[in-house]
Amino acid sequence: MHKSRVPSLISTTQRWSLLVLQIVFAASIAVSAPINDNFADRIVLSGALVEVTGTSADGTLEAGEPGVYHEFSTVWYEWTAPKNGNLRIRIVDSPYMIVQIYRGNALPELRFFAAVYSSQGADVDVVAGAVYQFRISATHYTPFPRLDGPFTLLLDYNAAPVNDHFTNRIRLTNAVERIFFRNLLATLEPGETSVASAGGGHSIWYEWRAPASGEAHLRLGAVASVGVYAGSESGRGSLIASNVMEGGQSIEETIFDAVAGEIYHLVVDSTGGYPVSDTFFTLTVNGSARLDRLEWASPGSIQMMLVGERGRYYALEVSTNLMEWTALSTNILSNNSLGDYGLPAPAGRFYRVRLVAP
């Protein structure tokens, strides 16, 4: 029996049409490099306060770029300093980025100036009218996975702290405090002597009225110097405790006896000539504690910070009705990180922390 050939469903002309459509469609979805991929196409930024979003995804390395280490794509920005000062540089919204800053106006003449990782920040002195080139890329240790992506670049000038001088001290009153500070551009005022034996000169001031009598603990989150004065609203008073962290050795806590209602003046200074930025100190009395920075970290996980005293035993407890409490953990405080894991959802859970034992 003769079998007829099954006719083709697509003619030759139709096949060519589909092929052309496929090529056109593929070209339409091809991802292009960022507009500032090359140095010649860098984006010009201006002003004393800059916030710009960008991406390094699908960028390339061009011939003649300064040497890089495990970086496979870069984008470029240019900024002219509008005034003399100390510039704060940060890159956020991505944990894997690096900003490399250069002086010069052409690739062959670029001179390295500073580098900033997204996990950190940098404070650099800039000169009015000087031109700075910012090269941004992801930091890679291997070619894959590619970590390129979006980021936000932040530029702003540092200013002297508002509590640089004793007369402008910040007043504290709580039994437990967690104070973030920057003393980068702080100075010694006329007649002031640094508590640091050497390398001080960046002091900032606080006033604390003790809410209770007992043992007060002041703990610094970075290498610095601290002094405690027993004074009054009208005067600084006399030094009763100090802690100077020098020579690689430090006592993390400064301990002093507090009297309810009495005023104490706290000064934080540099040591070794190096001011600190974006750090904190904690102040507690009689083992008082509080939970701080509670956040939904990931599915099934809540993380929080405990402000308390090192070496004390605290209990972290959870409740769904504020009446019945269940202990999650009872640990001696060696660091500030706590967590609640294995949660079905973050809603409807309350947390508290209490001192269990000295």
Side-chain angles (χ1 to χ4, degrees):
M1 180 184 296
H2 176 73
K3 294 183 180 180
S4 62
R5 180 174 296 176
V6 178
S8 173
L9 297 179
I10 303 176
S11 67
T12 302
T13 302
Q14 288 173 318
R15 287 194 185 96
W16 279 108
S17 298
L18 286 174
L19 180 60
V20 170
L21 285 173
Q22 288 173 344
I23 294 173
V24 171
F25 179 71
S28 68
I29 63 173
V31 179
S32 59
I35 59 173
N36 56 337
D37 181 26
N38 292 333
F39 180 80
D41 301 317
R42 59 197 181 277
I43 295 174
V44 177
L45 309 174
S46 62
L49 181 63
V50 174
E51 180 176 343
V52 60
T53 58
T55 182
S56 64
D58 299 298
T60 62
L61 289 177
E62 62 184 303
E65 281 197 42
V68 294
Y69 177 72
H70 291 324
E71 295 159 31
F72 305 98
S73 58
T74 59
V75 292
W76 291 88
Y77 295 88
E78 178 178 293
W79 177 77
T80 301
K83 60 181 180 179
N84 294 336
N86 188 267
L87 185 70
R88 185 184 187 192
I89 306 167
R90 289 169 291 164
I91 186 164
V92 297
D93 299 331
S94 172
Y96 306 109
M97 309 303 290
I98 180 175
V99 184
Q100 293 164 317
I101 308 162
Y102 299 88
R103 295 292 309 277
N105 296 307
L107 277 180
E109 64 183 45
L110 292 183
R111 305 181 306 278
F112 179 78
F113 182 71
V116 184
Y117 288 88
S118 53
S119 59
Q120 305 167 348
D123 303 287
V124 298
D125 292 328
V126 295
V127 179
V131 178
Y132 300 87
Q133 312 293 348
F134 294 79
R135 180 175 70 175
I136 301 178
S137 63
T139 54
H140 298 280
Y141 297 98
T142 60
F144 301 100
R146 293 297 292 271
L147 302 175
D148 301 283
F151 58 82
T152 300
L153 174 66
L154 303 173
L155 307 178
D156 61 314
Y157 279 86
N158 285 301
V162 296
N163 57 335
D164 185 14
H165 289 178
F166 177 78
T167 54
N168 298 322
R169 60 196 180 275
I170 294 175
R171 287 164 171 80
L172 314 171
T173 58
N174 291 335
V176 53
E177 296 272 7
R178 182 183 179 92
I179 306 299
F180 288 87
F181 68 89
R182 295 166 58 84
N183 68 342
L184 187 65
L185 298 182
T187 59
L188 291 179
E189 56 191 297
E192 180 184 353
T193 302
S194 175
V195 294
S197 57
H202 301 273
S203 62
I204 53 176
W205 289 89
Y206 298 85
E207 178 179 296
W208 181 61
R209 186 183 295 272
S213 296
E215 190 174 77
H217 290 235
L218 194 158
R219 177 172 174 261
L220 287 168
V223 175
S225 301
V226 63
V228 180
Y229 294 81
S232 64
E233 278 287 355
S234 60
R236 184 180 306 169
S238 57
L239 184 68
I240 62 171
S242 64
N243 181 14
V244 179
M245 301 184 182
E246 294 178 329
Q249 297 180 353
S250 66
I251 302 172
E252 292 185 347
E253 290 186 324
T254 302
I255 303 173
F256 61 98
D257 292 326
V259 178
E262 293 296 313
I263 290 177
Y264 300 89
H265 296 127
L266 317 174
V267 60
V268 180
D269 201 347
S270 58
T271 185
Y274 299 102
V276 295
S277 60
D278 298 315
T279 188
F280 65 91
F281 69 80
T282 59
L283 179 62
T284 58
V285 60
N286 293 331
S288 54
R290 77 178 186 196
L291 292 176
D292 192 30
R293 299 176 65 182
L294 184 71
E295 59 184 18
W296 181 242
S298 61
S301 174
I302 287 181
Q303 292 183 347
M304 61 204 80
M305 301 292 287
L306 171 62
V307 180
E309 295 177 6
R310 287 290 183 96
R312 301 264 194 168
Y313 282 90
Y314 295 92
L316 174 64
E317 299 176 336
V318 63
S319 173
T320 57
N321 56 17
L322 292 176
M323 297 180 65
E324 299 172 339
W325 295 87
T326 301
L328 287 176
S329 62
T330 302
N331 291 312
I332 189 169
L333 179 58
S334 58
N335 59 58
N336 295 93
S337 180
L338 296 172
D340 186 3
Y341 308 102
L343 299 177
R349 293 174 75 87
F350 305 92
Y351 299 93
R352 74 180 184 186
V353 64
R354 62 186 180 85
L355 181 66
V356 177

